[in-house]
Amino acid sequence: MSGHSKWATIKHKKGALDAKRGKTFTRLIKEITIASRQGGGDPDANPRLRTAIAAAKAENMPADNIKRAIQRGTGELPGATYEEISFEGYGPGGVAVIVEATTDNRNRAVSEIRHTFSKNGGNLGEPNSVRFMFSKKGIIAIPKEQADEEKLMNIVLEAGGDDLNDEGDTWEIITEPSAYEAVAQAVRDAKIETTMSEITMVASTYTKLEGATANQMIRLLEALEDNDDVQNVYSNFDMDATQMEEVAG
């Protein structure tokens, strides 16, 4: 497991996301609102909304919060009008980075993201400068003590997943986005706890970073993720697991 997925798994382990629950809820509410605006408020007929609601429930978001976010998206309740913006660029060591933002102020978002890149050893690139290196996949990371390989492989095969990878102390299920919801539900039905479960962007190749360059890359990721407009950050960096644990601590 490299880059974004490894980093996200470690942050889950250490409870870093729990400390930012407010940020997590804000990100999910924006996603629900936009999904409702674009595809309607019925999750049965709106796959993006269905996925967003499942993610919100996984974070124990109250049902009333989800309902209000849907109603703001469909126009039943007043609320901010969000715009989706995607940025592509390079981090320390030439690592490819994609940033997905949802904002009510485009100029502010562009200025802040550009500043964050330059302040942390990176720079923004042109559209499609790095996106070709990534493909959208569902990833479900499971601690090995939660389930054995045979049990998980049966879930992958029966629910339509693509692959099951051994990532040291973690199993990693890979799915196509269209199969993600069914596989994630099968894992939940089996009462198996996960450290990460989401649709993300997976790189085709990875760039290994070490020492100060690796630390600078982590600082860039953290700075981007701390921005209130940023929804998701994807990269193709890899680094030694021990160093990543130390940085995450």
Side-chain angles (χ1 to χ4, degrees):
M1 192 192 307
S2 300
H4 171 79
S5 57
K6 184 190 291 182
W7 178 239
T9 299
I10 288 175
K11 287 200 299 181
H12 274 275
K13 285 181 180 178
K14 293 184 174 297
L17 291 184
D18 285 341
K20 298 181 180 179
R21 180 59 60 87
K23 163 69 174 173
T24 303
F25 276 16
T26 299
R27 177 178 59 81
L28 291 167
I29 285 170
K30 284 183 177 180
E31 174 63 15
I32 292 170
T33 300
I34 286 181
S36 301
R37 187 184 73 199
Q38 293 183 348
D42 179 7
D44 291 334
N46 185 340
R48 180 174 177 179
L49 176 60
R50 193 161 60 242
T51 299
I53 291 173
K57 289 181 176 178
E59 292 290 344
N60 298 313
M61 181 182 289
D64 283 349
N65 293 39
I66 296 174
K67 181 179 179 180
R68 285 194 296 271
I70 294 173
Q71 290 174 328
R72 281 194 291 271
T74 58
E76 297 172 69
L77 290 177
T81 300
Y82 295 115
E83 176 184 4
E84 292 182 290
I85 314 173
S86 180
F87 302 87
E88 298 178 43
Y90 302 91
V95 167
V97 182
I98 296 176
V99 180
E100 294 176 347
T102 302
T103 182
D104 58 358
N105 188 324
R106 182 185 184 90
N107 290 337
R108 179 193 67 216
V110 172
S111 175
E112 290 181 351
I113 297 301
R114 186 183 302 278
H115 176 71
T116 300
F117 267 90
S118 62
K119 183 180 178 181
N120 293 279
N123 60 278
L124 283 180
E126 296 297 321
N128 300 315
S129 57
V130 303
R131 186 171 291 275
F132 70 93
M133 301 170 61
F134 295 81
S135 57
K136 187 164 285 190
K137 296 285 185 181
I139 294 183
I140 304 170
I142 299 166
K144 282 193 172 177
E145 64 268 19
Q146 285 292 319
D148 60 35
E149 184 175 14
E150 182 178 359
K151 182 176 183 178
L152 288 177
M153 184 56 75
N154 286 336
I155 289 175
V156 170
L157 294 175
E158 292 175 7
D162 281 358
D163 205 359
L164 177 66
N165 297 327
D166 185 341
E167 299 292 345
D169 60 353
T170 304
W171 297 113
E172 185 182 73
I173 297 175
I174 307 293
T175 80
E176 289 298 319
S178 59
Y180 166 76
E181 187 179 344
V183 177
Q185 185 61 53
V187 171
R188 289 193 293 270
D189 290 344
K191 302 294 191 291
I192 298 172
E193 294 186 11
T194 66
T195 51
M196 184 183 73
S197 181
E198 65 183 23
I199 294 177
T200 185
M201 298 288 278
V202 177
S204 56
T205 61
Y206 287 86
T207 300
K208 184 71 174 287
L209 301 182
E210 297 179 344
T213 305
N215 289 340
Q216 191 176 31
M217 181 64 205
I218 294 298
R219 287 195 295 271
L220 171 60
L221 287 180
E222 289 181 326
L224 289 169
E225 290 175 348
D226 281 342
N227 187 299
D228 287 340
D229 288 332
V230 171
Q231 291 288 90
N232 300 295
V233 182
Y234 309 113
S235 69
N236 73 332
F237 89 99
D238 195 7
M239 63 186 289
D240 180 76
T242 301
Q243 183 178 4
M244 187 175 283
E245 290 275 6
E246 292 172 356
V247 175

